[in-house]
Every structure is written in structure tokens, then in C-alpha cells.
Amino acid sequence: MKYTIQAHVSPKNIYPSTLRLGGTSPQGDELSFTNYYMELNGKPYFAICGEFHYSRYPAAEWGSEIRKLKLSGINVVATYIFWNHHEELEGVFEWAGNRNLRRFVELCRDNGLYVILRVGPFCHGEVRNGGLPDWLFGREFAVRSNDEGYLKYVNRLFKEIGKQAAGQMFKDGGPVIGIQLENELNAAAALWEETAKQGDEYLSGGVSGEAGSEHMRLLKQYAVDSGLIAPIYTSTGWGEAPFLEDEVLPLYGGYAYTPWSISDPNQVQKPTPEYVFVNFHDEQAPGGEFNPPYPRTKYPFACCEMGGGMQTWYLSRFQVEPESVIAMTLMKLAGGCNFIGYYMFHGGTNPVGRTGYLNESTTPKLTYDFQAPIGEFGQIRESNHLLRPLHYFLRRFADRLAPMATVLPEGAEAVTPEDAHTLRYAVRTDGKSGFVFVNNYQDHVEMDTHEEVVFAVELGEETLSFPQRSKLTVQPKASFLLPFNFALDGLNLKFATAQPVTVIETEEAATYFFSVPEGVDGEFQIDASAGILEVSAETGDVAEIDGYNVLIPHDQSSMIVIRRDGAREVRIYAMSAREAATMWELEENGRRLIFSPAPPVQTPGGMEFISQGQHAFTFREYTGETEAATQWNMAQADAMVSGRQEDWFQAYDVLVPQKEVAVTMRRIQDHKVVLQLPEDVLESTEEVLLSIDYTGNVGYAFAAGQLFHDHFYNGLPWEIGLSRFREVLRRGEIVLETTPRRTGAVKLADDAAMAVEKVFEGEAVAAFHSVTATPVYRIGLTR
């Protein structure tokens, strides 16, 4: 079926923003804003923000995890500063260990990442009282208000944060480019954990209207007075939250999974509108949560909370589909978003405080894994593999995409989230070139397959129809973008049924890497040029049709080589979706591309691989055939690495001694088991990851009677990394216990004479099935 879209539009009207934001670093870098995107040194800059909470992760592992964030394409780390993690007892501030904000910021700086501090004072983040300390309640004042009593404490908090972050602001040469003030003011509240249980009692959502704007003004003033002076001040914009016009950039987001919409009488979540295309700069478009009190073309549409996953809640036990995360990003980009932010990008674990557990009672007491792209124990998830190529594209081609306008096809406004039959697509374009965005994912809906899809992009004097020689099938859950009139080092790629990822440039060649969607043949139409001498492909077919048409089978990867007279070669490496998921872009002395099943982490002297379960694997580095290959050596004496040339790549075989981890499970009852692990379980490994297959309601892990981890059952294995629990392991055996997962109804006994007796009628299951232990190897390579 042919899908037509009229993309002959004038270039986007872009002009300097009225936002009084921006700044210059001592190194001469300048951040500024237009009405459509952020700029770094006068050029479009895509902020790719990943939320990672330092106080929810062991400080000893921050460096490695920050490098994983960077490797995932993140260039800005956002983090909450939870008040009750730092001043749980009034007047007693704690900034050491896992609460060492300064050290965390310094590590971000050392790894070349910017930072946004979400200073609160109210944060939420599924933290006890939304992060407000218990002792703040029962006072004469109302929290989140303009009462002088409350503001005195807030001002004191900001001054403490200012001391910790001193010298780390962008203006001082530090990495902190942003300060978020409050969170969801007048839009959301948190449970008051003094009395609440599973959503019974909520705190104030804060002041609204003019009083809310005044509250934000005071918070900004306190931040500035405390030395928290950054080029960007932000606030959440949804829910009619107050903001400061021209002084604060409102940020938005969206989630596929909304556990706050689930209750006992309402157990079914409705499909969200997040996967229906919207033009965020169109004044007439339906915006859902995006209903700003200012003209939509006045500010960039920017996001801080796109669902990188979601934490399971007691009443909501979903499994986050990895496709929901990449589709969310593509939808925001297609609508004109040029500043993306994930909540969460890295999971964590709630600390235990002096006054008890510091979580919110709707969630587990300890785990805050969030099913995020990087898990609670550093696991690289499938959603990460889907996102990375897109992030690399945004880093390399921001100057192309950012200025482009959004164009929706006729009838797009009639598509509803429940519509499983209509193909959803949109374009971002400058009227001559651009990208077709395709989305066939919708949460809580089974989408149709669309076969023999052809796009007709009308560009005034020409209409581009593609594909031409292949058949494009859009599978359920698929989402991708396809370029048209894409510049390739002086050549024109008329269209491609593949997504651009990155480019490596040398004197000999410019090599462009493209990812071909799952099940789609890669078709590349290259305009004829007088300088082209030859077009060839390793696999696939080259036909001279209106220039050169190259067709690559969907299950293969292939290098397309364009030789030119008097100019360097242009190469197109068409990757299968499976191969693209193993690609890692390292930024060290230029850029290097590694293809590996194990994530590499850059180090000063080389790199390390964090290999989950694989003691032997092969990685490849793109060398371009003519470049000298890196001679790698193993950092550990009992490991081996050997290299060989494979066409355009240098392949390396890595081998380290295999670690076998035996787990003995002794069953006390079906719902309670004892695990016995060898004393040397953590020797010769970076980590040991337990995978617990069970059925139940809530899973608990104890050692010597002390709870050290927990899990809300959702059908996925419960994972526990043991390395941070060395003290726990010294106590001896680990006891796992689960409460029953019930399907049925609870009734009150009719004949209960005194105490109320509840009778359950239905099926109750609580059983542990198996436990396995997988070693995680850290394998160091040096030059």
C-alpha cells in the first residue's frame, strides 16, 4: 500500500529564544537556545539525558556505570538529590559514601558528561514522602508552600547542596549545566509514609497559580544565592505545573506504563496516547499532557521523563517491553523534540536509613531496578541495544535533524491509541531532505502487520517513492526512521530503507553505518554523479537504475563501496538489526567502533569488557582495511587475546578462565528455600548474578534474619548481584521467601464473632522453581 505525505514545506522558522538561559565556560564553550533546540558553540546540540541516582548505587561502582552511560550514547546525566537521603535527621547532613554528590559530579566531569541536578526540594522518585524528611511534617507550615517556615528549611538545604557542588558549575569549568527546581508542583504528590499504605493518603501537591509561580521564583533565587548558577534552569511542565516565563525551560515526558492509573477496582491500564504522532510546535494539535500556557513555538519542546522503563508497583505487575522505550524516543523526535531525557536510564537500590526504609510503600522496600536500559546491578538490557544506534545518530547528525520541521500525513489527527490497523508515520524535513518516521508500537494493543508498504514523499518538483525494488514490511512493535536526500560526503543518498547511525572519516574514506530494521531488506538509492567510477557491494545486488540502486538482504551485513575520481571513497556499511545491537562507539583519540556481544568500557590505558556469563567471545573493530590494527594485550596473566584481519575489520578472540558457580538450593517449604554458595563465589569475577525463577507475590532475600533485597513478582526472573553484598555472604546461608500470588477474591467471614477473619477463595501460588548463578567477568585489555 502506498502512503503519501506532502513534505514540500518552507524551512522551520528558527530564531533566538526569549529564554534568558545560556552561559559560557572558562574553556570557551557556549550554551544557548533557539526557539526549537539547544546550541553548543552556535550549532544544534542534542541533549541525551539519562537519569541515574547516585545515592541509590554503590559509590565504588559509579565510575564504571557512568562509563556505561556514555557508551550508551548518553551525554547528560540527570540525578535527583533526595533531601531525606542527606538530612534524614534534622540538622544532620550526610554527604559521604554513596551520598557523596561532589564525587559523583566529578566522575561525570572526568568522563566527559554534563550533569543536571534535580535539587527538589520535593522530588518524588518513589522515595519516602517524595524525598521530604519525616521531621518536616507536623509543623506550623505547609510543605511545598510559600510559608516562611518551610522556605527557611529549603533555603538551608540549597545552601548545603551549593557547598557540595561548589566549583562544579559550567561557568567554573565544571559539568553542571542544569538545575531542576521542584518536581511536578501542583501536578502530583507523594504518599505521606507516616500513615499511608498503598496509596491511601497523599501530601499536598503544592501551591498553584500565581502563588506557584512565586514559589518557583523563590526556589530559583535560593539556588542562585547558594551558588547553583547554571546555564539552564528547568521545571516539569505537565499537569499545569507553574513555571517562570523566559527564566525556566519546562520539560515534559511520557510513559508506556502508568501504574498510578491502576487501583483495586481498575486493574486494566488503557493504552497511552504517547505512540500517536503529534507536532509539538503546532498550536492546534492535541497535546494531551502537553498543554502549555505559552505559544508552543516559543520554546523548544524538551523532555526529562521519557519512560526508560518503569518500577513495578504493588497493584501493577507489568513487564516493560523493550520496544516501548525506542518507540517513545522516536515519537518524541518525530514530533519536534530536540532534547530527550529518560527516567530511569540506570536502575538502583534504595538505601536503608536510620529511621527505616526510605522507599515509597507502593514499591519494593529496596529494589529500584525500573527495568531500565542499564539495570540495578549494571546489566545491559535489550532496550539499551535498541537505543544505542539511535543515540549515536543524534550525536553525529544533530545539525541535520534538529532544524527540521514536523509534517504529519492527512488524517493523522484521527488516529487513536486503540487503533491497531492504521500505519502511523510522519516526516521531519526542511522541504528538500529529511526522515520518514514509522511507528507500529502501541502499549497494551496488538498491532497489525503492514505489508508491501511504499512511501511517497512529495517535495514540490519531485516525489520520492520508496522502496522501489524491495518489499517493506512493518512488523508489530517495529519503529524506525528512514532518510531521504541524505548527504554522503558530496553524494546524495536519495533514500534508504535503513536507519543512519554514525560516520567514521579518514583521509581515504568516509564510512557511513546504517542499521536495517528487522525483516527489512536494505535498499539504497544513490544519485548518479560524474565523479563516481564504481559502486560495488560485498553481498547483495547493484543495479544502475536512476543512478545506483543497491539491495542488501535483511539477514546479512554488507559493505557498499563507492569509488570516485579525485575524491575519497564513500562507504556504506549496512548492518543487520542483530549486528547493530552489538555496536559500541568509543570516543578516545577520535572515535572507534567496536562490535561485541560483551559491553566494552573505556579505560585510560585501553578498555575493559563486562561479560555476563561469556568467558570466551569475539569482538571486531572497524579498521577500514587499510588502517593499522590495534595490538591488544591482556591485563591479566591467565587470559588470552589473538587477532586476525576480517575484511574491513580486525577480529579478536578473547579467552579467560571459566568460573563455575555452584548453587545449592535446600527447600524448607515451596515458598521458602535456603541457598548455599561457595566461600570463593566472588573470586576471579567482577560479579555473580543470581537469577531466581519463582512464582509468588513479593520475594524477600534474607541473611541472618536481615532483609537485603526484594522483588515484586511480574513473571520475569528476580535478579540479585552479589558483589555489593559481601558482608551479607559472610553471615552464611541466604534465605529466600515469597508470599502467595493470589487469583481470586477475599471475603469477610460471616460468622466472625470478634476479630475480623478474612477468607480467600481462589488459587494461591508461592513456590521457588530454580536458582542459577552467572559469573560476570571484567576483562581488561591494554595497548
Side-chain angles (χ1 to χ4, degrees):
M1 182 174 177
K2 180 173 284 190
Y3 296 87
T4 302
I5 188 165
Q6 205 291 102
H8 184 226
V9 298
S10 299
K12 182 76 178 175
N13 185 20
I14 298 171
Y15 46 85
S17 173
T18 57
L19 285 164
R20 293 188 288 275
L21 301 179
T24 304
S25 74
Q27 296 86 352
D29 290 324
E30 182 182 6
L31 287 172
S32 57
F33 285 91
T34 72
N35 65 317
Y36 203 42
Y37 50 78
M38 186 164 73
E39 294 178 311
L40 176 62
N41 299 328
K43 297 180 179 179
Y45 180 78
F46 249 101
I48 308 169
C49 307
E51 189 93 8
F52 179 28
H53 297 155
Y54 62 94
S55 60
R56 281 171 157 162
Y57 216 81
E61 301 172 29
W62 285 346
S64 179
E65 300 310 302
I66 287 169
R67 287 190 284 274
K68 287 181 187 176
L69 287 168
K70 184 174 183 178
L71 200 65
S72 302
I74 298 299
N75 54 24
V76 181
V77 176
T79 191
Y80 272 138
I81 300 174
F82 294 116
W83 191 350
N84 60 358
H85 285 192
H86 294 285
E87 195 188 4
E88 188 178 1
L89 303 179
E90 184 176 358
V92 181
F93 281 94
E94 298 183 60
W95 298 101
N98 299 349
R99 294 168 169 84
N100 192 336
L101 170 64
R102 176 181 249 346
R103 180 60 183 149
F104 181 80
V105 172
E106 288 173 342
L107 285 169
C108 291
R109 176 202 63 199
D110 294 345
N111 285 281
L113 296 177
Y114 290 133
V115 175
I116 294 177
L117 299 178
R118 305 179 80 179
V119 299
F122 176 86
C123 295
H124 202 190
E126 288 71 64
V127 167
R128 182 181 179 91
N129 310 326
L132 300 180
D134 293 345
W135 53 261
L136 205 59
F137 304 101
R139 305 291 179 120
E140 293 183 2
F141 52 77
V143 298
R144 306 177 77 185
S145 75
N146 292 332
D147 188 290
E148 289 184 3
Y150 172 67
L151 293 175
K152 179 185 70 174
Y153 284 111
V154 172
N155 194 18
R156 188 186 68 172
L157 169 68
F158 281 16
K159 288 189 182 304
E160 289 291 327
I161 296 172
K163 292 176 186 177
Q164 298 302 315
Q168 299 303 313
M169 300 297 109
F170 185 73
K171 69 179 182 62
D172 304 317
V176 178
I177 63 168
I179 303 293
Q180 179 183 307
L181 305 171
E182 244 279 348
N183 187 64
E184 299 182 311
L185 184 66
N186 190 42
L191 294 172
W192 186 12
E193 295 296 336
E194 288 293 315
T195 59
K197 181 180 179 182
Q198 299 305 327
D200 294 334
E201 297 183 15
Y202 279 82
L203 300 168
S204 166
V207 288
S208 60
E210 292 184 7
S213 297
E214 172 65 9
H215 190 70
M216 298 301 290
R217 187 191 67 78
L218 289 169
L219 293 183
K220 183 179 179 184
Q221 177 185 321
Y222 294 159
V224 171
D225 292 346
S226 301
L228 299 171
I229 302 171
I232 308 171
Y233 291 90
T234 74
S235 64
T236 51
W238 58 87
E240 299 183 356
F243 83 108
L244 292 179
E245 188 168 3
D246 287 344
E247 293 187 40
V248 172
L249 175 66
L251 300 182
Y252 298 87
Y255 292 94
Y257 300 88
T258 57
W260 49 85
S261 68
I262 302 299
S263 61
D264 274 326
N266 177 28
Q267 289 289 315
V268 179
Q269 181 189 317
K270 294 180 180 179
T272 70
E274 299 298 336
Y275 299 99
V276 176
F277 284 107
V278 174
N279 183 351
F280 297 114
H281 255 216
D282 181 356
E283 301 291 355
Q284 308 304 319
E289 288 284 352
F290 181 52
N291 186 28
Y294 52 84
R296 296 186 184 186
T297 55
K298 186 174 184 180
Y299 301 148
F301 178 83
C303 289
C304 63
E305 288 198 25
M306 293 155 38
M310 178 53 69
Q311 183 63 33
T312 50
W313 287 25
Y314 190 80
L315 295 178
S316 191
R317 307 298 184 89
F318 44 82
Q319 296 180 17
V320 172
E321 295 179 291
E323 296 88 353
S324 73
V325 184
I326 180 67
M328 176 74 71
T329 306
L330 280 161
M331 296 303 293
K332 299 300 184 186
L333 295 175
C337 181
N338 291 315
F339 184 123
I340 60 176
Y342 298 95
Y343 190 98
M344 300 284 296
F345 199 86
H346 197 309
T349 309
N350 292 307
V352 179
R354 301 185 187 186
T355 60
Y357 297 105
L358 294 175
N359 70 312
E360 188 175 72
S361 60
T362 56
T363 61
K365 294 182 182 299
L366 295 170
T367 180
Y368 198 66
D369 176 78
F370 217 80
Q371 303 182 51
I374 304 178
E376 177 182 10
F377 298 102
Q379 313 97 303
I380 301 293
R381 298 264 169 68
E382 185 181 347
S383 56
N384 191 303
H385 298 317
L386 295 175
L387 287 170
R388 273 197 328 276
L390 181 61
H391 292 168
Y392 296 162
F393 162 75
L394 295 175
R395 291 200 308 199
R396 296 298 149 235
F397 302 110
D399 58 335
R400 301 193 191 187
L401 178 64
M404 290 181 172
T406 296
V407 179
L408 305 184
E410 185 177 350
E413 67 281 353
V415 177
T416 64
E418 294 77 14
D419 184 350
H421 314 301
T422 302
L423 180 64
R424 304 177 190 183
Y425 64 103
V427 161
R428 278 189 72 171
T429 181
D430 57 11
K432 296 179 180 179
S433 61
F435 304 90
V436 176
F437 288 78
V438 182
N439 175 47
N440 201 27
Y441 177 87
Q442 174 66 59
D443 64 283
H444 303 89
V445 173
E446 293 287 335
M447 302 296 283
D448 290 348
T449 299
H450 300 272
E451 298 179 342
E452 298 190 22
V453 171
V454 175
F455 292 105
V457 182
E458 297 181 351
L459 294 168
E461 295 181 358
E462 66 171 342
T463 297
L464 291 178
S465 294
F466 61 93
Q468 293 181 358
R469 290 204 292 153
S470 60
K471 294 182 179 180
L472 174 57
T473 298
V474 181
Q475 302 284 353
K477 300 184 182 181
S479 59
F480 48 83
L481 63 86
L482 305 176
F484 58 89
N485 287 334
F486 187 83
L488 298 173
D489 196 41
L491 298 178
N492 183 45
L493 180 64
K494 205 69 176 174
F495 66 79
T497 57
Q499 185 169 305
V501 178
T502 192
V503 59
I504 297 290
E505 298 186 74
T506 65
E507 292 183 4
E508 295 80 20
T511 307
Y512 294 83
F513 292 79
F514 281 75
S515 174
V516 181
E518 191 75 45
V520 175
D521 291 335
E523 184 175 343
F524 298 82
Q525 180 68 43
I526 303 159
D527 268 353
S529 171
I532 294 179
L533 300 176
E534 180 187 21
V535 177
S536 61
E538 289 178 308
T539 60
D541 177 66
V542 180
E544 295 190 25
I545 304 172
D546 298 327
Y548 301 88
N549 185 285
V550 186
L551 192 59
I552 309 297
H554 67 270
D555 57 349
Q556 300 180 24
S557 297
S558 178
M559 183 71 81
I560 302 167
V561 179
I562 307 167
R563 292 181 52 243
R564 297 187 289 176
D565 185 15
R568 62 182 177 178
E569 283 185 356
V570 172
R571 301 170 187 163
I572 300 172
Y573 188 61
M575 302 178 284
S576 67
R578 180 172 298 181
E579 184 176 15
T582 69
M583 177 179 167
W584 309 87
E585 186 175 62
L586 278 67
E587 295 183 321
E588 179 193 16
N589 300 323
R591 285 182 294 112
R592 296 167 38 227
L593 295 184
I594 302 293
F595 292 81
S596 171
V601 175
Q602 206 160 297
T603 62
M607 61 181 173
E608 295 175 332
F609 288 91
I610 312 298
S611 177
Q612 185 173 319
Q614 292 180 287
H615 75 105
F617 63 92
T618 298
F619 75 91
R620 298 179 303 145
E621 181 174 359
Y622 177 68
T623 58
E625 192 177 51
T626 59
E627 297 179 25
T630 303
Q631 298 300 314
W632 291 110
N633 300 301
M634 299 301 297
Q636 51 251 68
D638 57 352
M640 295 175 55
V641 60
S642 58
R644 63 185 184 280
Q645 188 71 33
E646 285 189 356
D647 298 322
W648 307 93
F649 301 85
Q650 182 76 5
Y652 301 88
D653 298 317
V654 177
L655 176 66
V656 296
Q658 185 173 7
K659 171 86 173 184
E660 296 286 352
V661 182
V663 181
T664 302
M665 185 174 77
R666 179 165 56 88
R667 192 175 298 276
I668 299 174
Q669 295 173 319
D670 282 349
H671 71 279
K672 181 182 287 191
V673 298
V674 175
L675 301 185
Q676 293 176 315
L677 297 163
E679 291 185 4
D680 64 347
V681 63
L682 289 171
E683 288 185 12
S684 305
T685 62
E686 169 73 7
E687 174 70 278
V688 171
L689 198 64
L690 294 183
S691 181
I692 303 163
D693 181 15
Y694 79 109
T695 304
N697 183 28
V698 179
Y700 302 98
F702 297 94
Q706 182 176 342
L707 180 71
F708 69 91
H709 202 255
D710 58 352
H711 183 260
F712 281 0
Y713 175 79
N714 67 344
L716 292 174
W718 171 16
E719 293 184 330
I720 304 176
L722 295 179
S723 64
R724 70 184 62 168
F725 300 121
R726 295 177 190 273
E727 290 299 321
V728 168
L729 295 177
R730 292 190 183 100
R731 300 175 197 158
E733 298 172 329
I734 293 174
V735 175
L736 303 179
E737 187 167 358
T738 182
T739 51
R741 179 71 171 165
R742 292 175 169 178
T743 304
V746 176
K747 298 180 179 179
L748 297 180
D750 294 334
D751 57 351
M754 296 180 65
V756 174
E757 181 182 356
K758 293 184 178 181
V759 178
F760 173 72
E761 296 179 357
E763 182 183 26
V765 181
F768 287 95
H769 310 303
S770 65
V771 179
T772 59
T774 301
V776 179
Y777 305 94
R778 182 182 290 270
I779 305 166
L781 274 70
T782 60
R783 292 184 181 82

